[in-house]
Amino acid sequence: MTAEKIFKNPKNLKRRKFINSLMILLCFIAAVLTILPLLYIFIYTTQSGITALNIDFFTQLPKPVGEEGGGMANAIVGSGILICLGGLIGIPIGIMSGIYIAEYSKSFLAGAIKFTTDVLSGVPSIVVGIFAYGVVVLSMQSFSAIAGGFALGILMIPTVTKITEEMLRLVPHSLREASLALGVSRWKTTVKVVLKTASSGIITGILLAIARAAGETAPLLFTAFGNSFWQTSIDQPIAALPLQIFVYAISPYEDWHRQAWAGAFVLIFMVFIVNFLVRYVTRNKFG
Amino acid sequence: MTADNFNKNDEVNSSESEIFIESEDSADDQAKQKNAVVTNNLTVYFNKRSAIEDVNVKIKKNSVTAVIGPSGCGKSTFLRSLNMMHEMTPSAKVFGEIYINGESIMNFNMVDLRKKVGMVFQKPNPFPTMSIFDNVAAGFKLNGSAGKNDLNEIVEKNLINAGLWDEVKDRLKSPAVSLSGGQQQRLCIARTIAVNPEIVLLDEPTSALDPVSSSKIEELLYNLKSEYTIIIVTHNMQQAARVSDQTAFFYLGKLIEISRTRKMFTNPKEKLTEEYITGKFG
Ligand SMILES: Nc1ncnc2c1ncn2[C@@H]1O[C@H](COP(=O)(O)OP(=O)(O)O)[C@@H](O)[C@H]1O
Ligand SMILES: [Mg+2]
């Protein structure tokens, strides 16, 4: 159809304008539908959670069934320990394989790693939990923080690898050449120039990976297992916030339900803080 | 034990052969000593296609050599083979011999060679995460040899030599990318000469700059000549005529002519050279 025809045919023009408005409206509705659940989750969790939130929640152990009060101090500390262990495993491996893919991508191994991380990022987290059970729990003959950290670490690897690779590829080739031309070795160039230039982007990716791992429940069910007492040795079962929320939420007790909401609120709040940190780090770079 | 013996034998053999070469080709060797750069049949392939072929040059110490020729004739390829920059390109294969101050570059490791043969690129490429100060000191900082040197002194000296000191002395801590393009390029020159190379390669260093910045850099080259051997690729014939002692003309991967600049621009040996510098093609 020629342009002339379109302009001369007002009916056609009207129809096109109508379709145009309709599509914009649909996009708008979709956008609202994206925001609504998040808004709803946030408001509802805050409403239900904040009332159960008090000092005890952060400082006390869970009370035995039937007793009121108590808190999730052990689960908060446990989650911290699990995330540290997971990060200790997932971050270095993720960064290094990202470096390998981005900087040495000509090798066959780099292609294999890339493929594996893509597949791994699609594996359901409960499967990773089963894997950690098979590898760590069975060989240690015990549920443990190590097993939980191992599972979280494996879940973090693909995210960190991918973001590292992408960020390193954004670093202009001319900077590598500038460094090499100064007589700086390839490895030092990679670490001190390329990695450094990409660091704020990589930190963003790591924070997001941590935020995701913090909320993972399934892979902890049969690795960290949970614990209602203080436990900080990493070869013992350990409490975790998402696990505690899960146990409390499916219990029949009103008080536990309230505490589960409080836990959910704390978890979401933590994820929020991480997101703000991400914003802050990235703004520093481009601002 | 056997390995030790083997190594010893090897050493003896190599020193013997060196003596042998010296006595045989001492004239050739002296020529290499006097020259900062000598190439013998230098040939570079990218994926089986040659980019330069059989290039033979002799470049005197403390001279300025301009490399001219139409785009794609292999100027950058030639320059980048002198500091082994092709090592980063897997498809590149380099044949022939290159001597730096009389020593074959096969005897250098990459790092030492590049400390001797510095390079400035077409597009200014300061490190964006570093300050002006740190960029000049980058050669030391990145190599982890910062502690052994007085960086303040090195930075000041080289910024003065690069003609940038007066413009930046009050803001050494600001990011290098806050400078103008011309200033960034002079910063890159300061960064290159800070590690004290003997030879400085410049690949069209002014082609991304305005005329005023370009002439500042030309001036700078003139001053650097007393301390360094300079090889500069340029698209600008006037620039070649102004700054260089000798000029090399490349065409389709071949070195057509290398002569004293004055001679090349008034009375070239080759017809092709004359046609190029008079603008008949290019
Ligand atoms: N990395 C590379 N891979 C493949 N071919 C290349 C590469 N670099 C240069 N070439 C080829 O080598 C020839 C010479 O290029 P170059 O030295 O950059 O020319 P000049 O600097 O004179 O413009 C060109 O034909 C170019 O396409
Ligand atoms: Mg070029």
Side-chain angles (χ1 to χ4, degrees):
Chain A
M1 193 179 291
T2 63
E4 228 170 87
K5 244 185 190 165
I6 297 169
F7 283 120
K8 276 186 187 150
N9 188 345
K11 226 166 122 192
N12 196 350
L13 187 64
K14 250 188 200 159
R15 210 189 98 225
R16 284 158 49 91
K17 275 193 166 166
F18 171 73
I19 292 179
N20 194 29
S21 324
L22 184 71
M23 292 321 269
I24 291 177
L25 184 69
L26 286 177
C27 288
F28 176 76
I29 292 172
V32 171
L33 284 179
T34 322
I35 303 174
L36 267 183
L38 183 69
L39 219 60
Y40 181 77
I41 290 172
F42 193 65
I43 293 172
Y44 197 82
T45 322
T46 309
Q47 268 181 355
S48 328
I50 216 154
T51 49
L53 217 52
N54 49 30
I55 301 287
D56 279 0
F57 183 84
F58 293 100
T59 55
Q60 300 288 309
L61 287 179
K63 284 267 157 66
V65 181
E67 283 180 50
E68 291 271 306
M72 291 195 183
N74 61 337
I76 293 171
V77 172
S79 268
I81 291 175
L82 285 168
I83 288 166
C84 286
L85 288 174
L88 238 47
I89 296 167
I91 294 170
I93 294 180
I95 290 181
M96 286 197 255
S97 47
I99 289 176
Y100 195 80
I101 298 172
E103 301 292 311
Y104 304 89
S105 56
K106 288 290 169 327
S107 85
F108 165 77
L109 186 60
I113 299 173
K114 201 169 152 64
F115 179 74
T116 313
T117 48
D118 284 348
V119 172
L120 190 60
S121 66
V123 170
S125 57
I126 192 145
V127 176
V128 174
I130 295 169
F131 173 67
Y133 177 82
V135 172
V136 185
V137 176
L138 288 185
S139 61
M140 284 176 66
Q141 294 293 314
S142 154
F143 297 111
S144 65
I146 294 179
F150 180 79
L152 293 185
I154 288 180
L155 280 169
M156 288 167 84
I157 288 174
T159 323
V160 178
T161 302
K162 191 123 209 102
I163 198 91
T164 304
E165 183 207 342
E166 276 165 14
M167 291 299 128
L168 292 188
R169 282 195 200 285
L170 286 181
V171 176
H173 196 66
S174 63
L175 291 183
R176 294 176 177 83
E177 290 195 329
S179 174
L180 292 171
L182 286 171
V184 180
S185 67
R186 182 107 185 254
W187 176 243
K188 280 183 185 166
T189 297
T190 300
V191 175
K192 293 188 183 175
V193 176
V194 185
L195 205 57
K196 184 140 184 253
T197 308
S199 61
S200 61
I202 294 173
I203 290 171
T204 304
I206 290 173
L207 289 176
L208 288 174
I210 288 176
R212 222 201 107 190
E216 283 289 356
T217 319
L220 299 181
L221 286 172
F222 26 78
T223 52
F225 195 70
N227 196 327
S228 17
F229 305 101
W230 268 118
Q231 187 54 267
T232 48
S233 29
I234 57 174
D235 57 352
Q236 295 297 316
I238 198 166
L241 213 40
L243 280 180
Q244 201 82 349
I245 293 169
F246 176 67
V247 171
Y248 274 30
I250 59 171
S251 76
Y253 313 110
E254 193 58 33
D255 189 44
W256 280 19
H257 287 174
R258 291 194 306 118
Q259 289 208 24
W261 280 115
F265 174 72
V266 170
L267 205 54
I268 287 185
F269 194 72
M270 272 162 44
V271 173
F272 239 70
I273 288 178
V274 168
N275 268 293
F276 273 114
L277 264 176
V278 167
R279 295 271 144 121
Y280 181 74
V281 171
T282 43
R283 196 203 51 200
N284 248 8
K285 183 180 176 189
F286 300 108
Chain B
M1 259 322 271
T2 42
D4 259 343
N5 276 338
F6 185 75
N7 279 342
K8 258 184 211 147
N9 280 340
D10 226 34
E11 272 165 35
V12 171
N13 276 342
S14 68
S15 58
E16 262 173 11
S17 60
E18 262 165 38
I19 292 165
F20 180 69
I21 287 173
E22 254 171 43
S23 55
E24 191 82 333
D25 309 318
S26 63
D28 193 33
D29 237 43
Q30 269 173 6
K32 282 178 204 154
Q33 288 296 338
K34 221 170 54 199
N35 290 309
V37 178
V38 174
T39 69
N40 278 337
N41 296 333
L42 177 62
T43 300
V44 179
Y45 283 90
F46 291 109
N47 299 320
K48 308 216 162 95
R49 215 170 66 90
S50 70
I52 54 171
E53 256 177 66
D54 292 329
V55 174
N56 297 298
V57 297
K58 289 194 173 69
I59 291 171
K60 282 208 185 65
K61 280 182 187 158
N62 296 353
S63 68
V64 178
T65 303
V67 179
I68 61 169
S71 287
C73 67
K75 305 182 296 294
S76 300
T77 304
F78 167 69
L79 210 63
R80 292 162 66 85
S81 50
L82 301 183
N83 67 343
M84 283 193 176
M85 255 329 183
H86 294 308
E87 167 256 354
M88 279 289 280
T89 317
S91 65
K93 297 248 171 339
V94 182
F95 300 97
E97 297 167 342
I98 301 173
Y99 297 90
I100 302 294
N101 292 331
E103 195 164 352
S104 166
I105 63 168
M106 292 309 187
N107 300 343
F108 292 98
N109 67 38
M110 217 82 74
V111 166
D112 291 339
L113 175 71
R114 287 171 183 159
K115 279 181 188 157
K116 273 201 164 136
V117 186
M119 186 163 208
V120 177
F121 299 84
Q122 180 168 0
K123 227 176 118 238
N125 53 0
F127 298 119
T129 53
M130 295 186 193
S131 65
I132 293 170
F133 183 99
D134 287 349
N135 260 281
V136 182
F140 301 92
K141 293 209 158 175
L142 296 176
N143 267 319
S145 56
K148 292 175 234 149
N149 297 281
D150 181 1
L151 290 184
N152 287 323
E153 196 189 309
I154 289 172
V155 168
E156 179 172 347
K157 183 177 143 230
N158 288 288
L159 281 174
I160 291 173
N161 285 346
L164 193 60
W165 175 250
D166 289 332
E167 289 158 65
V168 301
K169 63 171 186 271
D170 301 322
R171 49 175 179 142
L172 293 173
K173 294 279 167 254
S174 359
V177 282
S178 68
L179 296 172
S180 76
Q183 290 173 324
Q184 287 186 17
Q185 193 63 302
R186 277 179 283 152
L187 182 69
C188 292
I189 293 176
R191 176 177 72 185
T192 301
I193 59 180
V195 292
N196 228 350
E198 290 164 25
I199 299 162
V200 181
L201 312 172
L202 302 103
D203 193 350
E204 302 191 38
T206 63
S207 67
L209 305 182
D210 62 278
V212 176
S213 304
S214 301
S215 67
K216 274 193 183 150
I217 287 182
E218 280 180 26
E219 223 174 281
L220 173 61
L221 293 179
Y222 195 80
N223 296 331
L224 293 179
K225 200 175 118 172
S226 59
E227 284 181 65
Y228 309 96
T229 306
I230 294 172
I231 308 178
I232 176 173
V233 171
T234 174
H235 247 104
N236 181 328
M237 230 85 71
Q238 283 78 28
Q239 185 171 65
R242 278 195 299 267
V243 301
S244 67
D245 303 313
Q246 68 174 348
T247 300
F249 170 54
F250 280 76
Y251 185 64
L252 297 180
K254 296 238 162 53
L255 175 65
I256 303 297
E257 178 171 355
I258 178 163
S259 323
R260 296 198 62 79
T261 300
R262 196 171 306 148
K263 181 167 182 305
M264 170 102 76
F265 281 90
T266 50
N267 183 21
K269 272 187 279 196
E270 302 289 330
K271 187 105 178 36
L272 208 54
T273 317
E274 188 184 331
E275 283 175 7
Y276 181 71
I277 58 183
T278 54
K280 290 218 175 76
F281 70 94

